[in-house]
Amino acid sequence: MRLKNKRFFIGLITFFMLFLLLFIFFLFINQDTTLATEEEIVAIVQSQYEGSTVQSVIQKKSEFTIVIDHSLGEYELVINGQTREITALRLLNLHDIESPKDEQGKGQIAILLTEQEAIDIALQEVSGKLDEIELELEDGIMVYEVEIEVDDQTEVTIIINAYTGKVLSVTWD
């Protein structure tokens, strides 16, 4: 009789332990983050791409596909509705830029600034010596990251839109 009681209690304890582990898993580990609303997604896009017009928003499960009209062209963005991160950016249609004009009077497409043009813009912003320059995609925008040494202890990082030459940020280190 004692052996049956021990087996029963061991089985009961094992059952409760498994139940407890499953409960903890579903309560804490398997939590689903809340899905962003369409309004939140549009706000994210408008904050990242100022001056853009949202043309369409399509939601499939937890992913949002947004088409925007930006000054340089039409773009399709994919945003994860749970993490609220832009996971893809694709150019759909490049707009013709009105200036400069070619010999036939046709508009040319936007051209990246040269590294030297980006350096000149950065040095107009902050006096110093060029340390490093990199061209990279940041939040869906091509930018130059220019590092300028002001003195032995101070370095400045300047982010410049690689198409327009607009200074997007200046960070002192």
Side-chain angles (χ1 to χ4, degrees), residues 20-124:
L20 183 63
L21 287 173
L22 284 173
F23 178 76
I24 291 171
F25 174 78
F26 283 108
L27 186 63
F28 296 105
I29 298 172
N30 194 28
Q31 283 187 337
D32 226 0
T33 57
T34 59
L35 190 63
T37 64
E38 185 174 320
E39 291 78 22
E40 286 178 286
I41 296 298
V42 169
I44 290 168
V45 170
Q46 289 175 336
S47 70
Q48 294 288 322
Y49 303 95
E50 291 180 16
S52 296
T53 305
V54 175
Q55 293 180 329
S56 67
V57 179
I58 299 170
Q59 180 183 356
K60 290 182 183 171
K61 297 184 182 178
S62 64
E63 216 172 58
F64 289 84
T65 303
I66 300 94
V67 175
I68 62 169
D69 186 20
H70 188 267
S71 60
L72 296 174
E74 286 183 331
Y75 294 87
E76 178 184 80
L77 294 97
V78 177
I79 299 180
N80 182 312
Q82 292 177 326
T83 63
R84 292 154 175 82
E85 292 178 348
I86 297 171
T87 57
L89 173 70
R90 183 171 64 108
L91 176 65
L92 299 175
N93 181 27
L94 192 61
H95 292 319
D96 287 336
I97 305 298
E98 290 300 318
S99 63
K101 303 279 185 187
D102 63 13
E103 293 87 30
Q104 289 85 28
K106 294 181 180 176
Q108 297 176 338
I109 60 172
I111 298 173
L112 282 175
L113 297 172
T114 64
E115 280 190 0
Q116 188 58 53
E117 289 171 322
I119 292 166
D120 293 343
I121 292 168
L123 290 173
Q124 287 175 2

Side-chain angles (χ1 to χ4, degrees), residues 2-20:
R2 286 182 143 190
L3 188 58
K4 285 186 177 182
N5 284 341
K6 281 185 179 181
R7 285 184 185 170
F8 174 76
F9 283 116
I10 290 173
L12 189 61
I13 290 172
T14 304
F15 172 78
F16 281 116
M17 293 296 284
L18 285 173
F19 179 78
L20 183 63

Side-chain angles (χ1 to χ4, degrees), residues 115 118-119 122 130-138 142-148 155-162 169 173:
E115 280 190 0
I119 292 166
L130 174 68
D131 182 37
E132 186 179 354
I133 183 168
E134 291 181 15
L135 179 64
E136 52 190 44
L137 185 65
E138 187 174 287
M142 290 301 293
V143 297
Y144 280 105
E145 183 176 304
V146 184
E147 294 178 8
I148 304 290
E155 186 174 272
V156 179
T157 302
I158 302 168
I159 306 295
I160 300 169
N161 184 309
S169 71
D173 295 327

